[in-house]
Amino acid sequence: MTPLRCIIFLQLATTFALGQLAQQGNQSRVAGDPAVVVRSLYHAVVARHPIGLPTGTDRKAVAPYLSKGLIRRLDTALACETDYSRLHQDPNEKPQIEWFEDGLFSGGNERALPGAFHVESAQPEKDGSFRVHVRLKYSEPDPMPYWYVDVIVTQEDKHFVVDDVVFPKDDWDDESRLSQTLVEGCDGSRWVGHGEQQNDSK
């Protein structure tokens, strides 16, 4: 091999090696910090306070941080909500839809309007996902000034995305998941009602 070819070969090998190191660095940075996507999502949640299924600009604000699976579940739930509205057109009837007045990423009632958040920890799960522990706070002083949610983060297309939210059991509610809430009363895109309500109507 001539000296010129040796120099060219060494340059190419060095460039390739540096590219591999940079790629590994990027992968480790993504894989090592799943809390980043959670912070981004909850910045949008605290700023916008989306109630119920996010649509319009609220949807655009949160969608980049959500998994494809969660976005599909939101779309199916929206179709079910549309079907519910078709079947229940009385404006005085209180909606029976589980998520109608909830903050999907924070909780129901006053918890739909968090004033601040803090990501406390990220724990790896056996299936390769991460459970990110988030503390949420009310905007105004309250006897119970904060509460927690666990955000399930998975890797998709080489970046982290939010796939589910777990609402741990506390003094107010039993443990529940966003993925469960989005199918309450629905059979896919069709509204079928809750079991107890169907029984009561007989």
Side-chain angles (χ1 to χ4, degrees):
M1 184 179 290
T2 65
L4 179 60
R5 287 183 178 177
C6 285
I7 292 172
I8 294 172
F9 176 79
L10 287 173
Q11 287 177 336
L12 290 174
T14 301
T15 301
F16 177 78
L18 290 174
Q20 289 290 98
L21 287 173
Q23 184 177 11
Q24 291 173 2
N26 288 336
Q27 289 176 343
S28 63
R29 184 165 62 248
V30 171
D33 196 2
V36 168
V37 69
V38 176
R39 290 192 187 97
S40 298
L41 172 62
Y42 280 86
H43 276 301
V45 169
V46 168
R48 306 187 69 88
H49 292 147
I51 303 297
L53 299 174
T55 59
T57 56
D58 288 339
R59 166 90 174 218
K60 290 180 181 178
V62 301
Y65 313 118
L66 308 182
S67 71
K68 295 175 183 176
L70 180 51
I71 289 175
R72 282 195 299 270
R73 291 193 289 274
L74 291 172
D75 289 341
T76 302
L78 181 59
C80 182
E81 183 176 305
T82 301
D83 192 46
Y84 175 90
S85 299
R86 178 181 63 81
L87 296 170
H88 301 81
Q89 299 185 13
D90 183 355
N92 298 316
E93 179 184 348
K94 182 178 180 180
Q96 301 170 10
I97 299 173
E98 194 74 22
W99 60 80
F100 193 73
E101 296 178 337
D102 287 358
L104 296 189
F105 307 102
S106 57
N109 302 312
E110 292 81 3
R111 295 181 177 185
L113 305 172
F117 74 94
H118 176 68
V119 174
E120 296 202 334
S121 63
Q123 301 295 328
E125 301 286 291
K126 291 181 180 179
D127 63 358
S129 66
F130 286 82
R131 181 178 285 241
V132 181
H133 202 49
V134 180
R135 184 179 68 207
L136 296 163
K137 293 178 62 177
Y138 291 113
S139 300
E140 301 295 334
D142 188 273
M144 185 179 174
Y146 60 86
W147 69 99
Y148 294 94
V149 297
D150 289 334
V151 182
I152 306 302
V153 176
T154 60
Q155 196 164 2
E156 184 177 88
D157 298 333
K158 297 184 180 180
H159 65 278
F160 280 112
V161 287
V162 171
D163 192 55
D164 208 348
V165 181
V166 180
F167 303 95
K169 178 179 175 60
D170 58 23
D171 294 337
W172 287 12
D173 298 301
D174 292 331
E175 179 175 297
S176 64
R177 284 178 173 257
L178 174 59
S179 56
Q180 296 168 341
T181 300
L182 292 175
V183 298
E184 288 288 334
C186 299
D187 181 6
S189 61
R190 292 176 54 248
W191 174 261
V192 295
H194 302 288
E196 293 181 0
Q197 292 162 348
Q198 288 178 323
N199 292 335
D200 292 342
S201 63
K202 293 181 179 178

